[in-house]
PDB file of all heavy atoms in Angstrom:
ATOM      1  N   ASP A  45     -53.542 -37.219 -18.506  1.00 97.00           N
ATOM      2  CA  ASP A  45     -54.602 -38.231 -18.528  1.00 97.00           C
ATOM      3  C   ASP A  45     -55.227 -38.389 -17.148  1.00 97.00           C
ATOM      4  O   ASP A  45     -56.447 -38.549 -17.019  1.00 97.00           O
ATOM      5  CB  ASP A  45     -54.046 -39.576 -19.002  1.00 97.00           C
ATOM      6  CG  ASP A  45     -53.666 -39.567 -20.476  1.00 97.00           C
ATOM      7  OD1 ASP A  45     -54.150 -38.684 -21.210  1.00 97.00           O
ATOM      8  OD2 ASP A  45     -52.873 -40.449 -20.879  1.00 97.00           O
ATOM      9  N   ALA A 159     -83.122 -37.510  13.499  1.00 97.00           N
ATOM     10  CA  ALA A 159     -83.528 -36.852  14.742  1.00 97.00           C
ATOM     11  C   ALA A 159     -84.373 -35.610  14.468  1.00 97.00           C
ATOM     12  O   ALA A 159     -85.348 -35.341  15.188  1.00 97.00           O
ATOM     13  CB  ALA A 159     -82.288 -36.483  15.552  1.00 97.00           C
ATOM     14  N   VAL A 184     -80.648 -27.349   1.996  1.00 97.00           N
ATOM     15  CA  VAL A 184     -81.778 -27.970   2.689  1.00 97.00           C
ATOM     16  C   VAL A 184     -83.036 -27.692   1.868  1.00 97.00           C
ATOM     17  O   VAL A 184     -83.339 -26.547   1.545  1.00 97.00           O
ATOM     18  CB  VAL A 184     -81.942 -27.416   4.116  1.00 97.00           C
ATOM     19  CG1 VAL A 184     -83.257 -27.896   4.721  1.00 97.00           C
ATOM     20  CG2 VAL A 184     -80.777 -27.845   5.000  1.00 97.00           C
ATOM     21  N   ALA A 195     -87.617 -34.361   3.399  1.00 98.00           N
ATOM     22  CA  ALA A 195     -86.451 -33.486   3.568  1.00 98.00           C
ATOM     23  C   ALA A 195     -85.282 -34.027   2.748  1.00 98.00           C
ATOM     24  O   ALA A 195     -84.999 -35.232   2.770  1.00 98.00           O
ATOM     25  CB  ALA A 195     -86.057 -33.384   5.026  1.00 98.00           C
TER      26      ALA A 195
END
Side-chain angles (χ1 to χ4, degrees):
D45 291 341
V184 170

